[in-house]
Amino acid sequence: QAQAGWLQHDFGHLSVFKKSAWNHIVHKFVIGHLKGASANWWNHRHFQHHAKPNIFKKDPDVNMLHVFVLGDSQPVEYGKKKLKYLPYNHQHEYFFLIFPPLLIPVYFQIQIISTMIRHGFWADLAWAASYYLRYFVTYIPFYGVLGSLCLLTFVRFLESHWFVWVTQMNHIPMEIDSEKHRDWLSSQLAATCNIEQSFFNDWFTGHLNFQIEHHLFPTMPRHNFWK
């Protein structure tokens, strides 16, 4: 599931086939039939992220719903306004209990299903339904309905940790702030950092250890980032 996540990312960025139409078709298959998610939901979120990385109210990846305060300016803003939804002085401790385990199994699943229904993404809904149909037809004979649901939740729980560590390590250490109206190149460089290259890191991160190169050249095939 984690590797299918990196694979759909490649198709979503049109970086596999020469023709955009083929990338779009296979993207729907991978994210829909292999992962049970929505291509339109992913595109909407991810294109905003690439346009304005680490910019509050413009990058959905730093919209933490008052659960965490990020960067240097947001804690000051919350302090001045006396906003306290949670004990933020302990957020480094409860991060491990909330963000990695719950992002994919809970938050993303609710958001994906509600987005498909609310916006009428019926083709995406059909692809996602084909995933769940295939999954339950395969596993219910072995584990029953409850066992299959538990397995699905456990797999997504593990995948969520994997996804969070990869996606946060190359953005969160960088500047996170309100819109500063920088030129595009500067805004990309201010929000991205790379992780040491190795055979394992390339595989584990889907080559997103080259986050700088990916943001500067988002349609480049990932196996060329090192060049």
Side-chain angles (χ1 to χ4, degrees), residues 21-137:
W22 278 107
N23 283 293
H24 287 304
I25 290 168
V26 182
H27 185 221
K28 286 185 179 295
F29 172 78
V30 175
I31 197 172
H33 184 65
L34 299 185
K35 293 191 64 62
S38 164
N40 283 311
W41 165 82
W42 183 87
N43 286 337
H44 183 65
R45 276 186 63 96
H46 201 65
F47 293 171
Q48 289 182 81
H49 163 70
H50 269 266
K52 297 288 183 179
N54 284 12
I55 303 296
F56 290 128
K57 299 181 181 178
K58 295 186 177 181
D59 178 4
D61 287 1
V62 294
N63 175 24
M64 297 296 179
L65 304 173
H66 306 297
V67 177
F68 302 103
V69 289
L70 304 175
D72 295 325
S73 63
Q74 194 176 44
V76 174
E77 178 189 351
Y78 272 50
K80 288 180 178 177
K81 294 179 180 178
K82 293 183 169 55
L83 298 173
K84 192 165 185 179
Y85 299 87
L86 285 166
Y88 298 120
N89 54 315
H90 294 291
Q91 68 175 5
H92 59 292
E93 295 167 352
Y94 66 71
F95 171 87
F96 302 99
L97 302 174
I98 297 177
F99 198 38
L102 300 181
L103 182 66
I104 289 179
V106 179
Y107 180 66
F108 275 1
Q109 288 310 306
I110 293 171
Q111 196 179 65
I112 288 166
I113 294 169
S114 64
T115 298
M116 288 191 292
I117 294 171
R118 190 170 64 251
H119 294 284
F121 296 150
W122 306 124
D124 284 5
L125 193 60
W127 279 114
S130 76
Y131 164 83
Y132 287 103
L133 180 64
R134 175 178 56 84
Y135 177 85
F136 286 115
V137 166

Side-chain angles (χ1 to χ4, degrees), residues 128-211:
S130 76
Y131 164 83
Y132 287 103
L133 180 64
R134 175 178 56 84
Y135 177 85
F136 286 115
V137 166
T138 302
Y139 287 105
I140 284 176
F142 295 98
Y143 305 120
V145 175
L146 182 60
S148 298
L149 283 170
C150 289
L151 177 62
L152 178 65
T153 303
F154 183 62
V155 167
R156 286 182 168 164
F157 168 81
L158 293 177
E159 182 197 359
S160 191
H161 283 80
W162 190 331
F163 176 80
V164 166
W165 298 128
V166 171
T167 56
Q168 301 309 305
M169 70 184 181
N170 42 34
H171 283 296
I172 294 300
M174 303 304 289
E175 180 182 297
I176 305 172
D177 211 336
S178 301
E179 176 66 83
K180 291 188 174 180
H181 302 288
R182 288 190 175 106
D183 63 273
W184 181 83
L185 177 66
S186 299
S187 68
Q188 301 300 317
L189 292 174
T192 54
C193 66
N194 284 359
I195 307 300
E196 182 177 342
Q197 193 272 332
S198 70
F199 178 82
F200 175 80
N201 283 356
D202 290 352
W203 171 82
F204 188 82
T205 67
H207 291 87
L208 294 181
N209 48 333
F210 292 96
Q211 194 68 212

